[in-house]
Amino acid sequence: MSVEVLLENIFTDIGEGPHWDEATQTLYFVDNIGQRVFSWNYKTKEVQKIQLDKYIGFIIPRANGGHVIGYGKTISTLDWDTKNVSLITEVDTNVVTNVNDAKCDTRDVYGFGTLGVEISADGKGSLYCLYTDGTVKKHMEKIAISNGLAWTSDNKRMYYIDSIPGKVYGMDYDIETGTFNNEQVIIDFKAIGTLGFPDGMTIDTEDKLWIACFNGGKVVRFDPDTGKQLQSIDFPAKRISSCCFGGPNYDELFVTCGRTAAPEEELKEFPLSGSLFRVTGLGVKGLKPSVYEG
């Protein structure tokens, strides 16, 4: 296994939302508080960025062209060439939140969550689904920081993270209706006590979870059925925020991290804080990510 710095100190705040686009062999990712979206082309190594003017929770390609982004408290489209942003829907109209992490299932459902602008354990955020007909449904509320959606390869299980209480949830999922039930805590980071907070998450072809450990300096592979830690990757940064599989064979793990609010002592100890990392030689592959069909 090898950990390399792919793009050194590219994030001014918190790197998040890595998403591999198979069609263009491109990695997309965001600097959420820095209000920037990025692309990195696997073949040419070219980096492009767009500066916007609101919190950016994620970026995911759209099947009929362009991208979908979490933009402030909205789900919006982004035209990469013109940099135009257009509204799809707005949520949480009565509370001060931002849209955070998001993923698509393999059919037509777009799961996304929100977090309070002022983070607190009392939970101002929610978990929503956006359907291709434009319908939005709230599924969970009183969420502190919504993060880390993933689905199993058979689409029968869904996983979700609320970072501040340190809970990773597993639930039964119905791919036909885009609904879930029987939510249970399957991993409790507070009970573990040594990994910081669970942040972004991805899943491999063996249906094992890879969870970024914010303030823990690691990505850890978990068995969601037992909660057992199977593998751990250490990074030269503490604030590891998210990860995704990509590359031509989906056997490379791309990992984001942050530097916002890090004290001077931490930045001296971890000068690569705010970098984008790549891990190879893991011996596993990830599932192909879905794009938004709406």
Side-chain angles (χ1 to χ4, degrees):
M1 182 186 69
S2 174
V3 176
E4 66 172 299
V5 181
L6 192 62
L7 296 171
E8 184 173 333
N9 302 128
I10 192 168
F11 304 117
T12 58
D13 292 281
I14 302 178
E16 272 284 5
H19 183 100
W20 180 259
D21 181 36
E22 183 174 272
T24 61
Q25 294 290 287
T26 297
L27 180 72
Y28 292 95
F29 49 98
V30 308
D31 190 351
N32 56 20
I33 301 174
Q35 303 175 350
R36 297 182 296 169
V37 295
F38 295 86
S39 69
W40 175 81
N41 186 277
Y42 190 90
K43 296 178 180 179
T44 67
K45 315 305 179 189
E46 180 186 8
V47 178
Q48 296 183 6
K49 66 179 178 181
I50 297 175
Q51 180 70 57
L52 297 171
D53 58 5
K54 293 181 182 179
Y55 182 100
I56 309 294
F58 64 87
I59 178 169
I60 295 175
R62 193 177 188 186
N64 61 357
H67 299 78
V68 181
I69 59 174
Y71 189 54
K73 61 198 310 176
T74 77
I75 303 294
S76 296
T77 60
L78 170 67
D79 185 302
W80 193 273
D81 295 325
T82 66
K83 302 179 177 56
N84 288 334
V85 176
S86 301
L87 175 70
I88 295 177
T89 189
E90 182 175 353
V91 296
D92 291 355
T93 55
N94 296 321
V95 290
V96 183
T97 61
N98 284 314
V99 172
N100 204 42
D101 210 352
K103 296 280 177 64
C104 299
D105 74 4
T106 57
R107 188 167 179 136
D108 61 1
V109 174
Y110 195 91
F112 67 94
T114 58
L115 76 166
V117 171
E118 295 184 0
I119 305 300
S120 63
D122 60 356
K124 303 296 184 184
S126 300
L127 174 64
Y128 293 91
C129 284
L130 170 65
Y131 301 87
T132 52
D133 64 359
T135 303
V136 176
K137 182 178 180 180
K138 181 188 290 188
H139 289 279
M140 296 175 69
E141 55 186 5
K142 297 184 178 179
I143 302 297
I145 301 181
S146 182
N147 265 313
L149 289 156
W151 287 267
T152 53
S153 54
D154 63 6
N155 296 305
K156 293 183 178 180
R157 294 283 289 169
M158 172 179 162
Y159 302 104
Y160 172 68
I161 287 172
D162 188 359
S163 294
I164 292 296
K167 308 293 187 185
V168 183
Y169 295 92
M171 51 206 72
D172 297 328
Y173 191 71
D174 185 338
I175 188 69
E176 298 299 325
T177 62
T179 58
F180 56 84
N181 55 29
N182 299 324
E183 307 98 84
Q184 293 182 323
V185 175
I186 59 169
I187 303 166
D188 186 340
F189 267 56
K190 285 194 174 180
I192 296 171
T194 58
L195 297 178
F197 299 93
D199 200 331
M201 171 172 62
T202 192
I203 194 166
D204 62 33
T205 56
E206 299 174 8
D207 288 334
K208 302 300 188 287
L209 301 176
W210 295 78
I211 300 178
C213 303
F214 195 87
N215 282 343
K218 302 175 185 290
V219 171
V220 177
R221 186 189 192 214
F222 285 91
D223 185 329
D225 296 324
T226 65
K228 182 180 179 181
Q229 298 180 44
L230 304 176
Q231 192 170 349
S232 180
I233 310 169
D234 293 310
F235 293 88
K238 283 188 66 176
R239 298 164 190 255
I240 303 301
S241 54
S242 193
C243 55
C244 79
F245 283 98
N249 300 311
Y250 288 98
D251 57 355
E252 303 176 32
L253 188 71
F254 296 96
V255 179
T256 57
C257 72
R259 58 186 293 120
T260 293
E264 184 177 346
E265 296 78 13
E266 180 182 324
L267 295 178
K268 286 181 179 179
E269 183 179 359
F270 300 103
L272 292 172
S273 298
S275 298
L276 176 69
F277 301 97
R278 173 168 59 181
V279 187
T280 54
L282 287 168
V284 299
K285 295 183 178 182
L287 295 171
K288 176 185 175 181
S290 299
V291 301
Y292 181 51
E293 300 289 340

